[in-house]
């Protein structure tokens, strides 16, 4: 864990902050006319607030918090379906901890657990597989959730279950992909984004080329970044340098971890197990073409949608409207800051979240609240 | 040896001979309480120092697994209640111990837990003077639950409390943070991580004695158990009506704890401790207190981590090594590991 210290070096941070300020001045970025940089990934949003980077950088930088928090973009209907499955007789429903508190129309998984459903928190789909091996008389369902970072491990679990001939293991697949919503955002004529910071962990799997369209079709710079403060500051400087020089390229700040072409073994597992859905619903963003994955017919025995007849496997998608006054969609697309949502801090707090952005530690609203983005300014 | 069973059965809670055998052999033969029948009968003299006040506290203990590197549920059940007394300025004297035991619990495990409690109590100079056992059906409890209550005496003139904290006071912790919480997570084996982490579980009355000897004006102390340092400081900031400013670079963290937290997306400031306390002392006496604490094994790693401030009353803030400042808030519930 030596690297953690190295990438939080104050002297290096200071030099990068000076470089960012110099580039801002060169571009003419000011508080009134800032450069808009979207950090796509919720992990980056969390890190920016945790280390106070938003207040340390030149005032000509405005971070727009992107849709890269898998828990935040999960539509309420899918949470309802999780609970529907979990409450079936004989089911053990397994999930990552993050997803436990997300509210659906009938409450969260944590509340369903308290009502008696057998819902267990796991750290990996392989843990869920182990529970299935040990409980052959129960049906064990894993809540497959997340971007390309977690998609391969779910695929590995399904492949292992198939090899072993397990009959009591299935996945409720909600895996989604990063490039498609970015394309959707860039196609929105109201969006004013000057550049992107790309999620490093996703690119560990998919490489950097899936983002080529951002530079080539839309003429925007993107820098794939790591998660330490120095990584983020360096990435901001790299985006600014592209803007200053009039370039639009895909650059890799996180080369110590991210190979240009991704991870072949993970990509092969993804291709083997999943196929693209025609479209998938994102909370706050609506249906986005080809943005979700489902389990291929070859592995139908491990597909909880087919097994339980829910979700896209049943009568088609079931849309549940957002709670009244919830502006998660506008926050997620960067149209408003969390503090501009009328519910922020009143109708919606971490204790009683209305929208998912207040639940996950990677959600923009929760990050604002936890690290004082709003209250600090008010105090 | 009347007790032949290897596991606790419902008969051990039934009020008959089996229960008597369990209590005699596993509990009273080890704790040797001075009491008679179902109560402790204690000498009043110990309570009669002039001006002294009585401190009385109770706490329930549940932990899975029950045994973990560096300790077990028995050790924390004794240390925890001793610490609740000690941070209020009391000298701990007597404890009670009540056990809820799940049917099927290994008696050898019960013996180890009891031995560990007796060892910790003796080292701390307190007696476990009364107790109780109940056996519940399999599934109605998870192994062994322990409730300990404690009585101690607060010497004259000793009155630490959050309302006595003043702006400018130094904030001191007695060692690395989050070791217990991280050791328990690793011991659960839910993720394949090999660590050498041990619980920090320890009785802290000697740390309090040393601090009081080094400063006539120990303002306040609190043990940082569930919810970690962050939760303890938030409560104190609100009670005191003051702000608290921590220096991130000064926080004592073991590399393993830091690493585990990075991997799981947790914040070590919220991890549980069982042998850590936070002290508030006048800034001018901070060095004297640190010197005094460094002489004890349970506070050898004592460091200054920040100060109380008049600004931002009721809030805990932290300055990062990079210069940014953020709020360290109370959590809603447990920390939940993130997805990626």
């Amino acid at each position: 864990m030596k690297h953690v210290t190295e990438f939080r070096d104050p002297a290096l941070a200071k030099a990068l902050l000076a470089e960012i300020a110099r580039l801002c001045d060169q571009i003419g970025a000011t508080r009134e006319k800032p450069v808009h940089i979207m950090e796509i990934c919720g992990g980056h949003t969390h890190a920016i607030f945790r280390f106070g980077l938003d207040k340390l950088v030149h005032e000509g930088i405005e971070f727009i918090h992107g849709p890269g928090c898998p828990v935040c973009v999960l539509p309420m209907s899918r949470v309802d379906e999780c609970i529907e499955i979990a409450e079936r007789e004989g089911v053990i429903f397994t999930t990552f901890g993050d997803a436990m508190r997300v509210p659906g129309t009938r409450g969260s998984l944590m509340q369903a657990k308290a009502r008696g459903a057998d819902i267990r928190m796991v750290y990996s789909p392989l843990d869920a597989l182990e529970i299935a091996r040990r409980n052959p008389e129960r049906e064990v369902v894993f809540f497959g959730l997340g971007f390309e970072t977690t998609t391969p491990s779910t695929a590995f679990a399904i492949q292992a279950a198939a090899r072993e001939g397990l009959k009591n293991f299935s996945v409720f697949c909600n895996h989604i992909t990063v490039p498609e919503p970015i394309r959707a955002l860039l196609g929105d004529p109201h969006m004013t984004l000057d550049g992107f910071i790309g999620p490093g962990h996703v690119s560990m799997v998919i490489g950097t080329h899936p983002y080529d369209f951002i530079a080539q079709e839309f003429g925007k710079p993107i820098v794939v970044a790591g998660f330490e403060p120095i990584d983020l500051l360096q990435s901001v400087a790299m985006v600014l340098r592209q803007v200053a020089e009039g370039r639009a390229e895909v650059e890799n700040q996180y080369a110590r971890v991210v190979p240009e072409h991704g991870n072949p073994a993970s990509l092969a597992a993804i291709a083997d197990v999943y196929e693209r859905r025609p479209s998938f619903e994102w909370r706050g963003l609506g249906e986005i073409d080809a943005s979700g994955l489902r389990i291929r017919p070859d592995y139908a025995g491990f597909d909880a949608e087919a097994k339980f007849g829910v979700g896209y496997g049943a009568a088609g998608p079931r849309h549940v409207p957002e709670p009244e006054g919830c502006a998660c969609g506008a926050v997620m697309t960067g149209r408003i800051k969390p503090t501009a949502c009328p519910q922020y801090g009143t109708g919606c707090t971490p204790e009683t979240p209305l929208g998912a952005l207040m639940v996950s530690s990677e959600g923009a609203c929760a990050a604002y609240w936890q690290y004082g983005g709003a209250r600090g300014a008010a105090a | 040896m009347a007790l032949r069973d290897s596991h606790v059965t419902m008969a051990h809670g039934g009020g008959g001979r089996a229960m008597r055998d369990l209590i005699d052999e596993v509990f009273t033969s080890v704790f040797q309480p001075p009491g008679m029948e179902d109560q402790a009968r204690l000498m009043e003299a110990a309570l009669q120092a002039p001006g002294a006040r009585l401190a009385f506290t109770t706490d329930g203990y549940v932990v899975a697994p029950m045994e973990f590197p560096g300790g077990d549920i028995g050790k924390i059940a004794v240390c925890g209640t001793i610490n609740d007394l000690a941070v209020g300025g009391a000298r701990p004297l007597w404890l009670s111990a009540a056990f809820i035991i799940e049917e099927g619990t290994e008696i050898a495990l019960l013996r180890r837990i009891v031995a560990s409690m007796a060892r910790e109590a003796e080292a701390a100079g307190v007696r476990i003077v009364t107790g109780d056992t109940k056996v519940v059906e399999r599934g109605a409890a998870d192994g062994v639950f322990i409730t300990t209550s404690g009585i101690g005496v607060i010497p004259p003139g000793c009155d630490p409390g959050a309302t006595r904290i003043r702006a400018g006071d130094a904030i001191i912790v007695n060692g690395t943070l989050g070791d217990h919480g991280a050791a328990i997570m690793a011991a659960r084996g839910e993720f394949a991580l090999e660590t050498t982490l041990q619980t920090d579980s320890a009785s802290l009355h000697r740390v309090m004695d040393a601090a009081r000897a080094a400063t006539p004006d120990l303002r306040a102390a609190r043990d940082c158990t569930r919810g970690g340092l962050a939760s303890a400081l938030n409560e104190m900031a609100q009670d005191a009506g003051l702000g608290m400013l921590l220096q991130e670079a000064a926080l004592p963290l073991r590399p393993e704890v830091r690493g585990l937290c990075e991997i799981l997306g947790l914040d070590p400031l919220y991890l549980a401790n069982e042998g850590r306390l936070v002290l508030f002392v006048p800034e001018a006496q901070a060095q004297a207190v640190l010197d005094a604490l460094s002489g004890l094994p349970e506070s050898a790693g004592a460091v200054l981590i920040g100060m109380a401030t008049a600004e931002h009353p009721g809030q805990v803030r932290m300055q990062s090594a990079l210069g940014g400042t953020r709020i360290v808030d109370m959590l809603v519930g447990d920390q939940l590991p993130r997805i990626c």
Side-chain angles (χ1 to χ4, degrees), chain A residues 49 54-55 339 344 367-378, chain B residues 327:
Chain A
F49 284 104
D54 56 321
K55 298 198 199 82
T339 43
Y344 178 85
Y368 256 63
W369 186 266
Q370 185 184 354
Y371 294 132
R375 293 177 300 165
Chain B
I327 290 182

Side-chain angles (χ1 to χ4, degrees), chain B residues 174-262:
Chain B
N174 66 319
T176 48
L177 299 168
D179 295 2
H180 176 76
I184 293 289
M185 278 196 292
R188 281 184 190 152
E190 284 166 352
F191 24 82
L193 291 173
E194 296 279 331
T195 73
T196 54
L197 282 170
Q198 296 218 338
T199 177
D200 48 53
S201 175
S203 297
L204 299 172
H205 57 294
R206 296 198 302 170
V207 176
M208 287 295 291
D209 290 346
R212 265 208 309 277
T215 171
D217 201 7
L218 174 65
R219 312 267 209 217
R222 196 155 298 182
D223 49 341
C224 310
T225 52
R226 192 173 33 181
L229 174 73
S231 305
L233 285 179
N234 268 286
E235 286 171 17
M236 297 179 90
Q238 278 164 22
D239 292 348
L242 291 171
M244 315 238 164
L245 184 64
L246 305 180
Q247 297 299 327
E248 186 167 36
L251 294 175
L253 292 172
R254 287 185 199 279
E256 295 100 313
V257 173
R258 201 190 284 269
L260 194 75
C261 286
E262 290 293 333

Side-chain angles (χ1 to χ4, degrees), chain A residues 60-72:
Chain A
I61 303 284
E62 186 170 350
F63 288 109
I64 307 289
H65 317 302
C69 161
V71 167
C72 307

Side-chain angles (χ1 to χ4, degrees), chain B residues 12-32:
Chain B
H12 290 114
R17 197 188 305 275
M19 182 173 107
R20 176 94 155 260
D21 290 345
L22 180 81
I23 291 174
D24 285 352
E25 276 195 37
V26 176
F27 296 98
T28 49
S29 66
V30 179
F31 293 146
Q32 299 186 337

Side-chain angles (χ1 to χ4, degrees), chain A residues 1 8 10 13 50 55-56 71 96-98 101 121 123 127 145 149-150 228-229 350-351 362 370-372 375-376, chain B residues 190-191 255 258-259 262-264 312 317 320-327 329 332-334 336-340:
Chain A
M1 279 298 150
R8 291 180 189 173
R50 179 174 167 201
K55 298 198 199 82
L56 288 174
V71 167
F96 292 127
D98 255 25
R101 274 203 288 260
M121 203 171 86
Y123 296 91
D127 298 341
L145 178 64
T149 38
T150 54
E228 291 298 324
E351 286 82 7
E362 301 191 350
Q370 185 184 354
Y371 294 132
R375 293 177 300 165
Chain B
E190 284 166 352
F191 24 82
R258 201 190 284 269
E262 290 293 333
I263 291 167
L264 295 175
H312 305 292
R317 307 182 139 246
S320 79
L322 306 181
T325 303
R326 66 166 168 101
I327 290 182
D329 202 1
V332 177
D334 276 341
L336 298 175
R338 67 166 175 237
I339 291 175
C340 60

